[in-house]
Amino acid sequence: MKPIDFGKAALAGLLALILNLLATTAVIFAWAMLVEPGRSQDYYNALAPRIGAITGPAGGVLLLFGAAYLLGRRRPERNAIAFAAAIWVAYALLDLASGLPMMALKDLVTMRFALSLLAALAAALTGGALAARRNRSS
């Protein structure tokens, strides 16, 4: 990979994280408006982390798979698997950094967080591997 590819991977990781946070926010809003309208703000504030614990990891898996696959196909000469790994590194570091202002590192790095990032890594590498395979067969 060229040095510019690492910047592109970092940007892809950042965009995936932003999209994931927006999607999680949309799910929380939809839940509040459609499933349980009329509750107190405290109720929704307490509900948001529980919804996010489900939608965040699932969104990360889907977004990293999609990014690695689509961007891995875009430049057939680039190592799609290495690029996928670089996207994941950026995503994981940014996800960790975004949580640090809200809680201590020991409270942030939990088994759930680690499993979520491990699933996202598997998805990114799978997307990269499928892109590489498609690039070789073209």
Side-chain angles (χ1 to χ4, degrees):
M1 284 189 4
K2 297 176 185 174
I4 189 85
D5 290 332
F6 290 101
K8 290 176 182 179
L11 182 58
L14 175 62
L15 290 175
L17 183 60
I18 290 169
L19 288 173
N20 198 9
L21 291 172
L22 288 172
T24 296
T25 302
V27 170
I28 293 167
F29 179 77
W31 188 275
M33 294 296 112
L34 302 173
V35 177
E36 294 188 83
R39 301 276 188 143
S40 70
Q41 189 61 41
D42 289 338
Y43 177 81
Y44 297 129
N45 289 342
L47 183 65
R50 292 193 318 228
I51 293 173
I54 296 167
T55 61
V61 165
L62 293 172
L63 287 165
L64 288 184
F65 173 82
Y69 181 70
L70 292 173
L71 296 173
R73 286 181 28 210
R74 190 153 187 239
R75 299 259 185 237
E77 69 279 359
R78 178 171 49 208
N79 182 334
I81 296 173
F83 191 72
I87 293 172
W88 176 82
V89 167
Y91 180 89
L93 290 175
L94 291 166
D95 196 11
L96 184 64
S98 69
L100 285 176
M102 293 178 265
M103 62 183 69
L105 183 63
K106 68 177 180 62
D107 296 327
L108 181 61
V109 181
T110 62
M111 184 59 74
R112 178 180 292 205
F113 184 73
L115 290 174
S116 168
L117 289 180
L118 186 60
L121 174 60
L125 293 177
T126 301
L130 289 174
R133 191 170 115 188
R134 184 178 184 277
N135 290 342
R136 281 192 304 270
S137 67
S138 296

